[in-house]
Amino acid sequence: MREGDLEQALILGERALEGDRQSVPSLIMTSRELAAEMRRRYAAEPAAQDYLGRLHSLAQEKPGFMPR
């Protein structure tokens, strides 16, 4: 993501959200970072909007997962 590869960032972000969590605090921190970059760099991209929507849904289900 830091090099600007939206597709790769989305793949890694989706993988992180799947399955059992070994380190929830690490997942939260990374998800927040990725969401901030998605909003900053790719706010108009449909794939980024879908990913951010998924994070928003997770935040609704699990308060504290993402900042408001």
Side-chain angles (χ1 to χ4, degrees), residues 7-19 21 27 34 38 47-48 50-52 54-55:
E7 186 175 342
Q8 186 65 23
L10 289 169
I11 290 168
L12 294 173
E14 288 293 334
R15 277 190 203 153
L17 296 177
E18 295 172 357
R21 307 288 171 267
L27 174 64
L34 180 56
M38 290 278 177
D50 290 345
Y51 181 77
L52 291 170
R54 183 161 180 211
L55 289 179

Side-chain angles (χ1 to χ4, degrees), residues 10-45:
L10 289 169
I11 290 168
L12 294 173
E14 288 293 334
R15 277 190 203 153
L17 296 177
E18 295 172 357
D20 294 331
R21 307 288 171 267
Q22 295 287 328
S23 175
V24 173
S26 176
L27 174 64
I28 291 170
M29 182 183 72
T30 303
S31 294
R32 286 178 179 176
E33 245 180 63
L34 180 56
E37 285 297 307
M38 290 278 177
R39 285 185 197 100
R40 189 174 72 79
R41 293 184 184 195
Y42 303 107
E45 294 287 333

